[in-house]
Amino acid sequence: MFYIIGLGLSDERDVTVRGLEAIKKCSRVYLEAYTSILMVQKDRLYSSKTLFRKEAFYGKELILADRDTVETQSDEILHNADKEDGKGEMNLIISATTHTDIVLRARALKIPTRVIHNASIMNAVGACGLQLYNFGQTVSLVFFTETWKPDSFYDRIKENADLGLHTLVLLDIKVKEQSDENLARGRKIYEPPRYMSIPLAVSQLIEIESLRNTGTLDPEKTLAIGLSRVGGGDEDQRIVAGSLKELLEHPKEAYGEPLHSLIIVGKRLHHLEVEYAEEFAINRDTWRAIAKDVYGCALE
């Protein structure tokens, strides 16, 4: 049996009872750290000392599955999964091509598979007050380089905007990445982890808007909401709302620790959404003024 088990949004306690039961049955457990990260260190989940004292939360040794493991060593992950009592890969729900691919590989090998779902950023964004059924396509935003600035995301955001729908923008994660030079020379030397921040994401959006010039991401007229560590509780979770210009100029430390996400607010904006998200606004008067005058939202 091959399990894909959602771990939730924050720390080790977010796993479901059903998920924890499956983990404890598995003979090998991989912690997938490519498409997302858990907000705790690996030794919080398992260490030889805590396991000896029966204090390890999962009670299993974890094999860290980075990008290279997930993309090039799937055969090793699936090895004997049809014969062993169980094997699990843990992290998020099947929301990425990475997860779909490994399930398809398991099916091709006639390995029984089971998915145990959990919360993810795809539904937890409702914490900001925007209604989930008013969201359109989700897009990803990668780190720009001097020579590579892909802008296909802009077309998806514009399509959503033309329908009045909100857009969830997932921000890039760089973990165990190699520089171009090290990659070309075949050297297994990795760059420090990088996590895209909300200000950087906004600056990249504005840069592409200056090239496309459709007004879809007008810095002064487009409302947006930045989120970090959603589900992490009052001590970790941050939600900041405002125009793109306000988010860009807001102090970086106000957004908290990664992971960060960004929402571009669509014109089909309900007054209850405005009032709920106003609690997180950098400037409440500006937030309401843009919602009323630019978005046409009926406010008292």
Side-chain angles (χ1 to χ4, degrees):
M1 174 67 75
F2 176 64
Y3 292 97
I4 288 189
I5 302 163
L7 296 187
L9 289 159
S10 183
D11 60 27
E12 70 275 20
R13 296 169 297 175
D14 286 348
V15 69
T16 65
V17 173
R18 194 183 303 276
L20 185 58
E21 289 174 347
I23 291 168
K24 291 182 180 296
K25 288 193 298 185
C26 289
S27 58
R28 284 178 289 144
V29 182
Y30 292 82
L31 179 62
E32 190 264 288
Y34 166 36
T35 60
S36 187
I37 60 170
L38 203 60
M39 297 180 206
V40 293
Q41 296 299 313
K42 182 171 176 278
D43 58 11
R44 279 271 297 276
L45 309 180
Y46 163 84
S47 73
S48 57
K49 290 182 180 179
T50 55
L51 186 59
F52 180 76
R53 296 195 304 264
K54 299 182 179 179
E55 293 174 2
F57 195 85
Y58 295 145
K60 289 283 183 177
E61 183 171 5
L62 305 181
I63 304 168
L64 194 64
D66 56 24
R67 180 176 185 172
D68 183 61
T69 303
V70 173
E71 292 188 341
T72 67
Q73 300 177 38
S74 60
D75 290 342
E76 179 181 331
I77 293 175
L78 295 172
H79 180 64
N80 279 342
D82 56 335
K83 301 180 179 66
E84 297 176 3
D85 292 337
K87 198 214 72 69
E89 179 184 42
M90 308 189 308
N91 206 311
L92 300 179
I93 59 171
I94 297 187
S95 56
T97 306
T98 301
H99 307 134
T100 303
D101 178 69
I102 199 165
V103 170
L104 290 176
R105 289 172 183 269
R107 288 177 180 173
L109 295 170
K110 308 300 183 184
I111 297 171
T113 61
R114 184 179 179 189
V115 179
I116 300 177
H117 295 284
N118 207 321
S120 81
I121 192 61
M122 303 293 285
N123 51 39
V125 291
C128 72
L130 299 185
Q131 298 164 0
L132 292 179
Y133 49 77
N134 282 339
F135 278 77
Q137 304 167 83
T138 297
V139 303
S140 297
L141 183 64
V142 301
F143 283 105
F144 286 176
T145 69
E146 290 298 321
T147 58
W148 188 60
K149 298 182 179 182
D151 62 356
S152 59
F153 66 85
Y154 188 94
D155 299 315
R156 307 289 83 75
I157 293 176
K158 188 177 186 304
E159 288 172 3
N160 288 344
D162 290 344
L163 294 171
L165 300 175
H166 312 313
T167 303
L168 172 61
V169 184
L170 302 177
L171 308 189
D172 203 4
I173 301 171
K174 294 291 187 185
V175 178
K176 205 173 181 181
E177 296 279 334
Q178 294 174 272
S179 67
D180 292 339
E181 180 182 353
N182 286 328
L183 190 62
R185 293 177 180 272
R187 297 186 300 208
K188 293 289 187 179
I189 301 174
Y190 301 101
E191 301 295 299
R194 291 192 295 154
Y195 308 101
M196 185 180 289
S197 67
I198 290 163
L200 178 59
V202 172
S203 71
Q204 292 190 179
L205 295 180
I206 293 174
E207 181 178 352
I208 299 303
E209 174 60 39
S210 69
L211 299 175
R212 295 293 193 95
N213 200 30
T214 69
T216 300
L217 296 172
D218 186 314
E220 297 187 353
K221 295 181 180 179
T222 304
L223 295 177
I225 301 176
L227 308 98
S228 68
R229 300 219 162 190
V230 177
D234 293 340
E235 65 277 11
D236 287 321
Q237 178 174 289
R238 299 285 186 275
I239 303 176
V240 181
S243 66
L244 286 175
K245 183 175 184 292
E246 287 177 321
L247 293 185
L248 179 63
E249 296 173 349
H250 203 51
K252 185 176 179 179
E253 58 271 16
Y255 295 107
E257 297 296 317
L259 298 172
H260 291 185
S261 301
L262 182 68
I263 300 169
I264 306 300
V265 179
K267 296 291 176 62
R268 191 189 298 174
L269 185 62
H270 193 275
H271 70 90
L272 291 179
E273 294 178 297
V274 176
E275 292 170 9
Y276 194 104
E278 183 181 336
E279 176 69 23
F280 312 116
I282 295 170
N283 184 307
R284 294 190 179 208
D285 292 337
T286 303
W287 173 262
R288 292 182 66 87
I290 295 175
K292 181 179 179 180
D293 301 335
V294 179
Y295 283 60
C297 191
L299 301 174
E300 294 181 358

